[in-house]
Amino acid sequence: MGAADYPRLSGPDGWCLTPMLKVGLTGGIASGKSTVAAEFAILGVPIVDADVLARELTSQGNPGLTQLVAELGEQILDSQGRLDRTRLRRRLFADAALRARVEAILHPLVVRRLKDSLAAFKAPYAVAVIPLLVENPQARALVDRVLVLDCPVSSQLARLMSRDGESAESAQAMLSAQADRQRRLAAGDDILTNNGGAAELSDCVHKLHGLYLDIAKHPTQPHPGVRLP
């Protein structure tokens, strides 16, 4: 999701804060970040998603794909000349050195797009979905507050295998390649545990929405972190 297509979000008195509060939403793979972002979007909150930007940057004719091919060769492409995302993703999670090379190419491009999108929003607050926020200091510097979506590892593994068709071995490798759970939790201002149903998750997002509107309206007041549910 980019800077367009989201309505201006105003507080109860019609105000709109400048500078805008920027909330970074992060969490492990298959933890439910897209679902939570969609809940915020329903409330009219502007959303920018690093994964969506990365896909745009690595589509045909875009600079990310051009640089990846120059660095890694045409074997990363499918028969139509498009990035073979599934194959590359599995290679990345199995090869730390290759992952570092790809991240060195894509992360600066994604961070620049994130910054531009956030600058274009006009709202009390916006949410930037950044899976590798904890691992990427440049991405962390873009946001004012961090919302960590926590999820039991067993649920992540189950989702990867059922949703993405990963084997148990490849799913575990994907989890191992990311920041460990405790490091991610330590980096969060707010923690949302996704271990219930859709109604519970939606209710938690509504509570966070109220909190972030309040922070945006009263930025100099202290706002302790929250843990939900």
Side-chain angles (χ1 to χ4, degrees):
M1 299 179 184
D5 304 324
Y6 287 96
R8 174 188 174 93
L9 175 63
S10 297
D13 300 320
W15 50 270
C16 188
L17 180 71
T18 301
M20 177 185 67
L21 173 69
K22 296 174 283 290
V23 177
L25 169 60
T26 193
I29 190 170
S31 59
K33 296 182 294 297
S34 296
T35 301
V36 170
E39 289 289 339
F40 277 110
I42 289 170
L43 297 172
V45 179
I47 308 292
V48 60
D49 189 320
D51 278 351
V52 173
L53 296 179
R55 290 185 70 88
E56 292 173 356
L57 286 163
T58 54
S59 61
Q60 285 181 298
N62 280 285
L65 182 59
T66 301
Q67 292 183 41
L68 285 179
V69 171
E71 176 71 18
L72 305 178
E74 294 187 355
Q75 64 268 27
I76 65 172
L77 303 176
D78 63 17
S79 60
Q80 303 299 314
R82 298 168 300 196
L83 180 64
D84 189 334
R85 299 181 189 278
T86 300
R87 183 182 177 193
L88 180 60
R89 183 173 78 159
R90 289 174 177 167
R91 287 181 60 194
L92 294 181
F93 283 114
D95 186 335
L98 177 63
R99 186 166 64 252
R101 290 167 65 192
V102 170
E103 289 175 353
I105 293 170
L106 294 182
H107 281 186
L109 298 174
V110 172
V111 167
R112 192 174 303 119
R113 290 283 184 92
L114 284 169
K115 184 177 181 179
D116 290 345
S117 294
L118 288 168
F121 291 141
K122 303 297 181 184
Y125 80 95
V127 172
V129 187
I130 310 174
L132 299 182
L133 184 146
V134 175
E135 298 91 330
N136 188 335
Q138 290 73 35
R140 174 62 184 88
L142 294 177
V143 301
D144 307 304
R145 195 172 179 98
V146 176
L147 170 59
V148 173
L149 183 59
D150 192 31
C151 180
V153 171
S154 58
S155 297
Q156 290 176 272
L157 290 170
R159 288 172 188 161
L160 282 171
M161 289 187 286
S162 63
R163 183 192 70 185
D164 298 345
E166 300 293 344
S167 66
E169 181 180 9
S170 63
Q172 184 60 61
M174 290 177 181
L175 293 184
S176 299
Q178 296 189 322
D180 67 72
R181 186 181 182 192
Q182 292 308 312
R183 180 185 171 197
R184 192 180 297 115
L185 290 172
D189 296 292
D190 308 308
I191 310 297
L192 172 56
T193 300
N194 183 16
N195 197 27
E200 180 180 80
L201 195 65
S202 179
D203 181 62
C204 289
V205 171
H206 277 74
K207 291 176 180 177
L208 288 165
H209 179 59
L211 171 66
Y212 296 147
L213 285 176
D214 188 59
I215 294 173
K217 191 169 186 180
H218 306 285
T220 62
Q221 296 181 7
H223 293 87
V226 300
R227 284 178 174 263
L228 296 171

